[in-house]
Amino acid sequence: MKEINLTTKIRVYPLAECTETEKKLIEAAKNATFNAYAPYSGFKVGAAVLLDNGEIIVGNNQENAAYPSGLCAERTVVFFANANFPNEKVEMIAIAAYYNGAFTKEVVGPCGACRQVLLEVENRFRSPMKVLMYSDEAVYIVDSIKDLLPLSFGEEMLK
Ligand code: THU
């Protein structure tokens, strides 16, 4: 028997130590939570992406009475970005969540399905996407979505 140990390095920053660009993107994600359509869970997620051309695009979760028909903030924002700016690589994504009258004390990691979609975006543009996960206490940063999705299934398997 052999064992493989996978490790993920996550950098943890106080917001004040983030770069100006990161702070701006986090602010955009936080603001986007307020336009979330989350009447069923009350859990409002905002996501903001920075494109190669400097543009910031925001999205949020969009729920539905038929629950699985809704969509998470992360997929909403990257699908919009790719639909409208198909040639602009996505450099960074920031994620924040607002629940019970406050921004969450714990970071919100993207769900499994969103990780898979974000991986596709990275692969599509052949460039790592930095992921900034905001909480009221700290910001978790990884330099690539691959850090959050080890042993992933991607396009290379289909060649
Ligand atoms: N949600 C997101 O938008 N992103 C995440 O990363 C986690 C969960 C949404 C889906 C649903 O509308 C609500 O949060 C509660 O799960």
Side-chain angles (χ1 to χ4, degrees), residues 10 27 29 45 48 50 70 79 89 95 106 118 130 146 148:
I10 300 178
E27 202 49 39
V45 185
L50 173 67
F79 287 156
K89 80 175 176 209
I95 306 157
E106 281 164 16
L118 295 175
K130 202 192 254 194
K146 291 195 176 79
L148 299 181

Short mmCIF file of all heavy atoms in Angstrom, two decimals, residues 10 27 29 45 48 50 70 79 89 95 106 118 130 146 148:
data_model
loop_
_atom_site.label_atom_id
_atom_site.label_comp_id
_atom_site.label_asym_id
_atom_site.label_seq_id
_atom_site.Cartn_x
_atom_site.Cartn_y
_atom_site.Cartn_z
N ILE A 10 -3.07 27.70 1.60
CA ILE A 10 -4.02 28.82 1.53
C ILE A 10 -3.40 29.97 2.30
O ILE A 10 -3.02 29.82 3.47
CB ILE A 10 -5.37 28.43 2.16
CG1 ILE A 10 -5.99 27.24 1.40
CG2 ILE A 10 -6.33 29.63 2.15
CD1 ILE A 10 -7.31 26.76 1.97
N GLU A 27 -14.66 44.28 -2.36
CA GLU A 27 -15.73 45.26 -2.13
C GLU A 27 -16.87 45.04 -3.13
O GLU A 27 -18.05 45.09 -2.77
CB GLU A 27 -15.14 46.67 -2.28
CG GLU A 27 -15.90 47.78 -1.60
CD GLU A 27 -16.29 47.51 -0.15
OE1 GLU A 27 -15.48 46.92 0.61
OE2 GLU A 27 -17.43 47.88 0.22
N ALA A 29 -17.62 42.24 -4.61
CA ALA A 29 -18.31 40.98 -4.25
C ALA A 29 -19.24 41.22 -3.06
O ALA A 29 -20.38 40.72 -3.04
CB ALA A 29 -17.28 39.90 -3.93
N VAL A 45 -24.99 35.40 -1.59
CA VAL A 45 -23.59 35.29 -2.00
C VAL A 45 -23.33 36.28 -3.14
O VAL A 45 -24.15 36.43 -4.05
CB VAL A 45 -23.27 33.84 -2.46
CG1 VAL A 45 -21.79 33.70 -2.78
CG2 VAL A 45 -23.69 32.83 -1.40
N ALA A 48 -17.31 38.52 -7.63
CA ALA A 48 -16.83 39.54 -8.57
C ALA A 48 -15.60 38.99 -9.28
O ALA A 48 -14.76 38.35 -8.64
CB ALA A 48 -16.48 40.83 -7.83
N LEU A 50 -12.32 39.86 -11.98
CA LEU A 50 -11.50 40.86 -12.66
C LEU A 50 -11.06 40.26 -13.98
O LEU A 50 -10.44 39.18 -14.00
CB LEU A 50 -10.28 41.21 -11.80
CG LEU A 50 -9.25 42.13 -12.46
CD1 LEU A 50 -9.84 43.54 -12.69
CD2 LEU A 50 -7.98 42.23 -11.61
N GLY A 70 -31.94 27.01 -9.53
CA GLY A 70 -31.20 28.22 -9.18
C GLY A 70 -29.72 28.06 -9.51
O GLY A 70 -29.27 26.99 -9.92
N PHE A 79 -20.25 32.79 -15.99
CA PHE A 79 -21.01 32.55 -17.22
C PHE A 79 -21.32 33.89 -17.90
O PHE A 79 -21.24 34.02 -19.12
CB PHE A 79 -22.29 31.76 -16.94
CG PHE A 79 -22.05 30.29 -16.62
CD1 PHE A 79 -22.98 29.56 -15.89
CD2 PHE A 79 -20.92 29.63 -17.07
CE1 PHE A 79 -22.79 28.21 -15.60
CE2 PHE A 79 -20.70 28.28 -16.80
CZ PHE A 79 -21.64 27.56 -16.06
N LYS A 89 -9.53 36.88 -20.44
CA LYS A 89 -9.31 35.87 -19.39
C LYS A 89 -9.74 36.40 -18.03
O LYS A 89 -9.69 37.62 -17.78
CB LYS A 89 -7.87 35.37 -19.41
CG LYS A 89 -6.88 36.26 -18.74
CD LYS A 89 -5.51 35.59 -18.71
CE LYS A 89 -4.52 36.55 -18.12
NZ LYS A 89 -3.16 36.39 -18.57
N ILE A 95 -15.22 36.19 -3.53
CA ILE A 95 -16.51 35.64 -3.09
C ILE A 95 -16.78 36.12 -1.66
O ILE A 95 -15.90 36.06 -0.79
CB ILE A 95 -16.45 34.09 -3.10
CG1 ILE A 95 -16.02 33.58 -4.48
CG2 ILE A 95 -17.81 33.49 -2.70
CD1 ILE A 95 -15.41 32.18 -4.43
N GLU A 106 -17.07 33.10 8.67
CA GLU A 106 -16.22 32.10 8.03
C GLU A 106 -16.24 32.32 6.52
O GLU A 106 -17.26 32.74 5.98
CB GLU A 106 -16.71 30.69 8.36
CG GLU A 106 -16.27 30.27 9.74
CD GLU A 106 -17.02 29.08 10.28
OE1 GLU A 106 -17.68 28.40 9.48
OE2 GLU A 106 -16.95 28.87 11.49
N LEU A 118 -15.18 26.74 -12.49
CA LEU A 118 -14.05 27.67 -12.44
C LEU A 118 -12.80 27.03 -13.03
O LEU A 118 -11.99 27.69 -13.69
CB LEU A 118 -13.80 28.13 -10.99
CG LEU A 118 -14.94 28.96 -10.36
CD1 LEU A 118 -14.65 29.26 -8.89
CD2 LEU A 118 -15.20 30.26 -11.12
N LYS A 130 -6.88 33.52 -9.61
CA LYS A 130 -6.72 33.68 -8.17
C LYS A 130 -8.11 33.68 -7.52
O LYS A 130 -9.03 34.30 -8.08
CB LYS A 130 -6.02 35.01 -7.91
CG LYS A 130 -5.33 35.11 -6.57
CD LYS A 130 -4.91 36.54 -6.29
CE LYS A 130 -3.44 36.76 -6.44
NZ LYS A 130 -3.04 38.07 -5.84
N LYS A 146 -7.24 25.19 -9.03
CA LYS A 146 -6.75 23.81 -8.91
C LYS A 146 -6.39 23.48 -7.47
O LYS A 146 -6.47 22.33 -7.04
CB LYS A 146 -5.55 23.57 -9.82
CG LYS A 146 -5.93 23.60 -11.29
CD LYS A 146 -4.82 23.01 -12.16
CE LYS A 146 -5.25 22.94 -13.61
NZ LYS A 146 -5.17 24.21 -14.33
N LEU A 148 -8.10 24.19 -5.01
CA LEU A 148 -9.33 23.81 -4.31
C LEU A 148 -9.98 22.58 -4.92
O LEU A 148 -11.04 22.15 -4.48
CB LEU A 148 -10.34 24.97 -4.34
CG LEU A 148 -9.92 26.28 -3.68
CD1 LEU A 148 -11.04 27.31 -3.79
CD2 LEU A 148 -9.55 26.07 -2.22
#
